[in-house]
Amino acid sequence: MSMGNALQLQQALLSDEQFQTISTVVHRLCGINLHPGKKELVKARLTKRLRRLGLDDFDDYIEYVRSDPSGDELTNMLDALCTTLTHFFREEQHFDHLENQVLPELAARRDLADGKIRFWSAGCASGEEAYSMAITVAEHLPNAALWDVGILATDLSSDAIRIAQKGVYEGKCLKTVPPYLRAKYFDVTKSDLGHRYRAKNDLRSMMHFARLNLMDSWPMRGEFDVIFCRNVMIYFDKATQADLIHRFWRLLRPGGTLFTGHSESLTGIRHNFRYVRPTIYQRP
Ligand SMILES: C[S@@+](CC[C@H](N)C(=O)[O-])C[C@H]1O[C@@H](n2cnc3c(N)ncnc32)[C@H](O)[C@@H]1O
């Protein structure tokens, strides 16, 4: 692309109408509510896509997305618009609750003959949440080796799922993992890019990653003991949140626990969950 083109792109305008077109598609497909305050963010993120494709303006981009029979650019567009910020042991109190309440109760209640324990990290971003669950299980589930533990980790963003599946992180990503856990559950590799930390098989063997749009139908039939859906529903409107909460309810076993993000209370949503403490709910 010529320098002149690049300069033009820096100035590419996103009209209100173009923004509306994009936000309508995004809302319809994945529930994300792009209110007008997000216009500059959308423009900045999608300008990178325009640049990559050598397109000059947003009309061309919208047309490109519409007419791409593979659907790849739609996936790229959604990837670009997803906010995948996360970190290991984010909202630490949830992992304390897993350790001190959920895991001991599961181990005490569940008959080993039905040795399945199932977790779901719904909206796992680049996987740190799911690996934090796996570390908590490995550390604190009594007789962990005797159980058939499965941790499903899903996200809309294919880029994020790719990272999650690799399970390789830069040192700075592990700063919220205590050093003794880092040493126990990650292999260190050195490359030209510096040190990298790869989750060990002890963790990976429990985990399964998949791209899944929470707005679509879900292929899982099994019941979950624990669902984490944290810092995902903030992007959805109330009706979409309510629908999701009911779907989580149906997929949880009686006694199962739902964890939401710190600013995602279920206030204003009719539901039958028992309130345990802020952002923690149990299916009775
Ligand atoms: C801010 S991150 C939260 C990550 C992690 N749960 C945490 O709390 O640290 C929000 C994630 O929700 C995902 N997301 C947004 N809409 C989604 C949808 N419709 N289906 C599945 N994932 C979605 C985004 O791709 C992003 O990775």
Side-chain angles (χ1 to χ4, degrees), residues 30 82-83 85-86 90 123 129 155-156 212-214 230-231:
C30 53
C82 284
T83 298
L85 206 69
T86 185
R90 182 180 194 179
E129 176 177 278
D155 200 275
L156 172 68
L212 179 70
N213 182 350
L214 289 170
R230 309 184 311 158
N231 308 302

Side-chain angles (χ1 to χ4, degrees), residues 205-224:
S205 60
M206 300 181 222
M207 306 175 72
H208 179 76
F209 298 94
R211 179 173 186 259
L212 179 70
N213 182 350
L214 289 170
M215 297 304 112
D216 292 345
S217 61
W218 301 342
M220 311 84 81
R221 267 174 293 130
E223 292 182 311
F224 288 93

Side-chain angles (χ1 to χ4, degrees), residues 94-203:
H94 286 162
F95 298 94
D96 292 343
H97 187 79
L98 266 190
E99 172 185 339
N100 297 315
Q101 294 290 322
V102 175
L103 295 178
E105 274 174 32
L106 275 176
R109 257 202 337 228
R110 190 70 53 72
D111 179 359
L112 260 180
D114 166 30
K116 285 187 184 153
I117 294 184
R118 293 288 179 261
F119 293 79
W120 180 18
S121 167
C124 66
S126 39
E128 288 87 333
E129 176 177 278
Y131 286 105
S132 306
M133 288 164 133
I135 293 171
T136 307
V137 167
E139 284 290 296
H140 301 292
L141 177 65
N143 299 319
L146 298 179
W147 300 96
D148 165 12
V149 178
I151 298 175
L152 173 68
T154 64
D155 200 275
L156 172 68
S157 160
S158 47
D159 287 343
I161 280 296
R162 222 171 287 129
I163 298 170
Q165 195 140 29
K166 269 193 176 164
V168 179
Y169 299 93
E170 290 179 41
K172 66 177 184 214
C173 302
L174 274 91
K175 63 179 189 291
T176 51
V177 181
Y180 75 99
L181 293 179
R182 199 183 302 180
K184 193 167 170 186
Y185 294 107
F186 292 86
D187 291 318
V188 189
T189 57
K190 285 181 198 154
S191 72
D192 297 347
L193 300 167
H195 286 80
R196 292 287 182 274
Y197 295 80
R198 183 178 192 274
K200 287 190 183 178
N201 281 343
D202 298 5
L203 303 181

Side-chain angles (χ1 to χ4, degrees), residues 267-278:
T267 309
I269 295 174
R270 284 164 70 101
H271 64 84
N272 294 318
F273 280 100
R274 184 175 77 79
Y275 170 85
V276 179
R277 58 177 69 168

